[in-house]
């Protein structure tokens, strides 16, 4: 919000002057943003593991605050900076910039052991986090018995979900049942007395440390309206509790709408949504993956993609299931999240292939289906309808601009844009920060 410099015309009067003062001051209510500020949300547009961590780390260079708005230690982000690898599970990826603030949002569930271990890892590797990492006082806490319950519950299911066993689902269940405990509740004596003795004993050494790092996230952001804020999601749209392949989903809000709730801003305060996806599809654990490589005829291709793309879980180490890029589900993710632009990662995995395929529809019981079904049985019976593209048979690693890409890579990218009716503004061709091609900055309106 800008005002002309110089004298105020006498005709404005006392009430007019007071109005100008009120407009120039931080409002007590609402979320009125400054003209040059932006709130950008980064989500996964597949089943998680799309490379969000790298993209958030890259984009955080132009942000002042990075807020992780959902999930817990079940998420895993690998960041590569100058050849050095860092694995994060809870702390937002932008923490590697010394002048950035990283906040764990209200929609998260936080394991104190994992959180402080992660802080110690960063400090031990020379990343100073003092005074830069905060936790929303509305975030919930994961207790050790939740972790035991999580594993026991999944083992008892007739069709296990394939949970990471980090207590995430139990924490969200406790939250929904109104039996959870938040960071703010650590200062509530009567609430602590309601907990089991085991829980109180576990929390005792963490209470002061957690309270000291807590913030009222709404107030914090409301007084920093001139900031660029990056909201980091966890998992992916197809693992979202409502939009995903239920019940084979996570328990948090992985969709863009979750950024408003878990990030403590109003939905109209979101300026842009970026959807991150890989040049192919992967999934960890059980549940539908319609374009999955056939384990018989395409086992060699599956092993090539998995090994070249290093498709092993950061959190669990489990090998990821792999398949062709599923454009049906990607278009669904774009529509349900109002994605403004897409970010494509792992395109370099296809550098040596002579032919590339993508799924453009499903064949279910002999019928062609072009919309993403809610029914898990339908998705399990779906046979991918594939379209072939010529490979480029050369490395993309040395490309500095999109115009340096081989024409075949451009054709693959531009087909995806047309199919999803969404531009691909960023392309990642490697793990390092520098292996990122920006076609259009997300920090532009």
């Amino acid at each position: 919000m800008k005002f002309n410099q110089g004298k105020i015309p006498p005709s404005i009067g006392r009430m007019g002057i007071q109005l100008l003062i009120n407009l120039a001051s931080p409002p007590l209510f609402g979320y009125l943003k400054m003209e040059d500020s932006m709130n950008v949300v980064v989500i996964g547009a597949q089943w998680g593991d799309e490379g969000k961590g790298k993209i958030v780390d890259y984009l955080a260079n132009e942000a002042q605050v990075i807020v992780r708005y959902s999930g817990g230690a079940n998420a895993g982000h690998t960041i590569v900076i100058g050849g050095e690898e860092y694995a994060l599970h809870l702390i937002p990826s932008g923490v590697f910039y010394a002048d950035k603030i990283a906040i764990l949002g209200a929609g998260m569930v936080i394991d104190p052991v994992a959180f402080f271990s992660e802080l110690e890892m960063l400090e031990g590797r020379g990343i100073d986090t003092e005074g830069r990492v905060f936790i929303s006082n509305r975030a919930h806490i994961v207790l050790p018995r939740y972790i035991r319950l999580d594993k026991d519950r999944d083992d008892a299911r007739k069709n296990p979900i394939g949970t990471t066993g980090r207590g995430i689902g139990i924490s969200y269940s406790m939250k929904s049942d109104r039996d959870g405990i938040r960071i703010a509740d650590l200062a509530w004596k009567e609430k602590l007395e309601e907990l089991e003795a085991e829980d109180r004993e576990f929390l005792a050494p963490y209470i002061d440390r957690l309270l000291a790092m807590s913030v009222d996230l709404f107030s914090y952001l409301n007084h920093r309206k001139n900031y660029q804020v990056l909201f980091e999601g966890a998992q992916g749209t197809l693992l979202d509790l409502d939009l995903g392949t239920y019940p084979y989903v996570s328990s948090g809000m992985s969709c863009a709408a979750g950024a408003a709730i878990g990030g403590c801003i109003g939905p109209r305060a979101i300026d842009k949504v970026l959807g991150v996806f890989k040049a192919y599809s992967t999934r960890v654990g059980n549940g539908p993956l319609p374009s999955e490589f056939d384990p018989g005829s395409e086992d060699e291709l599956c092993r090539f993609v998995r090994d070249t793309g290093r498709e092993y879980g950061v959190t669990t180490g489990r090998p990821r299931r792999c398949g062709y890029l599923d454009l049906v589900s990607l278009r669904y993710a774009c529509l349900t999240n109002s994605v403004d632009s897409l970010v494509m990662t792992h395109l370099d995995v296809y550098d040596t292939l002579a032919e590339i395929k993508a799924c453009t529809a499903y064949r279910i019981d002999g019928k062609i289906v072009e919309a993403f079904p809610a029914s898990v049985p339908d998705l399990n019976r779906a046979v991918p309808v594939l379209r072939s593209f010529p490979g480029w048979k050369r490395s993309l690693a040395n490309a500095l601009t999109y115009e340096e890409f081989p024409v075949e890579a451009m054709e693959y990218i531009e087909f995806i844009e047309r199919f999803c009716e969404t531009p691909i503004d960023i392309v990642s061709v490697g793990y390092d920060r520098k292996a990122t091609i920006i076609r259009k900055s997300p920090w532009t309106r």
Side-chain angles (χ1 to χ4, degrees):
M1 191 170 296
K2 298 176 182 177
F3 299 95
N4 292 328
Q5 300 298 313
K7 295 182 179 180
I8 298 173
S11 60
I12 286 183
R14 183 179 296 174
M15 290 183 66
I17 292 172
Q18 187 60 56
L19 176 61
L20 289 176
I21 291 171
N22 291 342
L23 286 171
S25 303
L28 294 176
F29 304 102
Y31 195 95
L32 179 63
K33 298 199 306 98
M34 306 296 261
E35 288 179 1
D36 58 349
S37 66
M38 286 189 71
N39 290 326
V40 174
V41 177
V42 177
I43 64 158
Q46 295 170 308
W47 283 271
D49 309 308
E50 301 96 345
K52 296 182 298 297
K54 178 202 167 170
I55 299 306
V56 169
D57 169 74
Y58 187 91
L59 298 178
N61 183 46
E62 296 187 53
Q64 283 81 44
V65 178
I66 301 91
V67 179
R68 163 90 178 273
Y69 66 82
S70 66
N74 56 334
H77 297 319
T78 300
I79 313 297
V80 182
I81 305 170
E84 287 275 328
E85 285 195 15
Y86 301 85
L88 297 178
H89 301 277
L90 287 164
I91 299 173
S93 303
V95 72
F96 297 102
Y97 295 92
D99 59 340
K100 312 301 179 186
I101 300 297
I103 304 178
L104 285 71
M108 291 189 66
V109 290
I110 298 163
D111 178 346
V113 175
F115 173 65
F116 287 110
S117 295
E118 204 162 292
L119 279 179
E120 290 171 12
M121 177 276 291
L122 291 171
E123 293 286 349
R125 297 185 64 176
I127 308 298
D128 184 10
T129 63
E130 186 68 29
R132 296 197 301 113
V133 177
F134 300 100
I135 308 171
S136 167
N137 55 12
R138 289 176 168 83
H140 277 246
I141 297 171
V142 179
L143 298 171
R145 63 186 174 88
Y146 295 178
I147 297 172
R148 296 197 302 271
L149 281 169
D150 195 4
K151 294 175 181 176
D152 291 345
R153 182 174 292 183
D154 206 44
D155 289 343
R157 288 187 172 103
K158 291 182 178 179
N159 296 297
I161 292 169
T163 171
T164 60
R166 298 298 177 101
I168 307 304
I170 301 298
S171 300
Y172 280 115
S173 294
M174 292 291 191
K175 175 181 177 178
S176 182
D177 287 341
R178 278 80 45 98
D179 288 323
I181 181 164
R182 306 171 303 162
I183 299 294
D185 300 335
L186 295 176
W188 184 4
K189 181 181 176 182
E190 290 79 10
K191 181 66 176 179
L192 290 176
E193 289 174 350
E194 292 176 5
L195 298 176
E196 296 182 14
E198 173 192 353
D199 299 336
R200 294 196 298 272
E201 184 179 349
F202 167 75
L203 287 170
Y206 296 111
I207 289 175
D208 290 342
R209 295 172 73 187
L210 289 170
L211 287 173
M213 299 179 74
S214 70
V215 293
D216 181 340
L217 183 54
F218 163 76
S219 297
Y220 186 92
L221 294 178
N222 195 43
H223 287 89
R224 290 164 178 81
K225 295 181 200 63
N226 60 329
Y227 279 24
Q228 308 272 52
V229 183
L230 194 58
F231 292 87
E232 175 184 9
Q235 285 82 44
T237 294
L238 302 174
L239 294 177
D240 181 84
L241 186 60
D242 293 299
L243 299 179
T245 53
Y246 189 89
Y248 300 97
V249 292
S250 187
S251 299
M253 295 186 71
S254 305
C255 59
I261 300 170
C264 295
I265 60 172
R268 287 192 292 177
I270 296 173
D271 295 297
K272 191 166 284 189
V273 177
L274 274 62
V276 185
F277 75 103
K278 280 188 284 209
Y280 48 90
S281 300
T282 65
R283 179 167 194 159
V284 172
N286 300 328
L289 184 62
S291 63
E292 187 168 11
F293 296 136
D294 184 89
S297 61
E298 295 172 323
D299 181 61
E300 185 177 344
L301 177 60
C302 181
R303 282 188 282 109
F304 168 81
V305 169
R306 180 182 290 144
D307 293 341
T308 306
R310 299 196 290 186
E311 298 297 348
Y312 297 88
V314 177
T315 301
T316 63
R318 289 183 292 183
R320 295 174 185 143
R321 298 157 59 194
C322 300
Y324 298 108
L325 174 61
D326 186 340
L327 292 174
V328 179
S329 64
L330 183 60
R331 181 169 57 191
Y332 168 79
C334 290
L335 292 171
T336 53
N337 290 280
S338 297
V339 170
D340 294 289
S341 68
L342 288 164
V343 179
M344 185 182 207
T345 65
H346 291 243
L347 183 59
D348 54 302
V349 169
Y350 280 158
D351 280 353
T352 62
L353 298 185
E355 183 185 47
I356 295 162
K357 295 180 182 179
C359 170
T360 58
Y362 306 141
R363 184 175 285 106
I364 303 175
D365 299 332
K367 296 180 180 179
I368 296 297
V369 175
E370 297 180 339
F372 190 72
S375 165
V376 168
D378 283 354
L379 286 168
N380 284 335
R381 294 197 309 277
V383 177
V385 176
L386 300 175
R387 174 173 175 140
S388 296
F389 302 85
W392 42 94
K393 299 286 288 181
R394 57 178 261 205
S395 174
L396 300 177
N398 296 322
L400 299 177
T401 66
Y402 179 72
E403 289 69 29
E404 295 178 52
F405 278 8
V407 66
E408 294 85 358
M410 290 184 179
E411 288 174 351
Y412 184 53
I413 290 169
E414 289 163 14
F415 178 84
I416 297 167
E417 290 181 311
R418 292 192 301 273
F419 190 94
C420 295
E421 298 181 336
T422 309
I424 297 174
D425 287 342
I426 301 175
V427 182
S428 172
V429 292
Y431 293 97
D432 205 274
R433 276 179 182 168
K434 62 184 180 182
T436 310
I437 307 297
I438 305 293
R439 299 176 70 192
K440 179 182 178 182
S441 171
W443 298 111
T444 56
R445 294 186 185 275

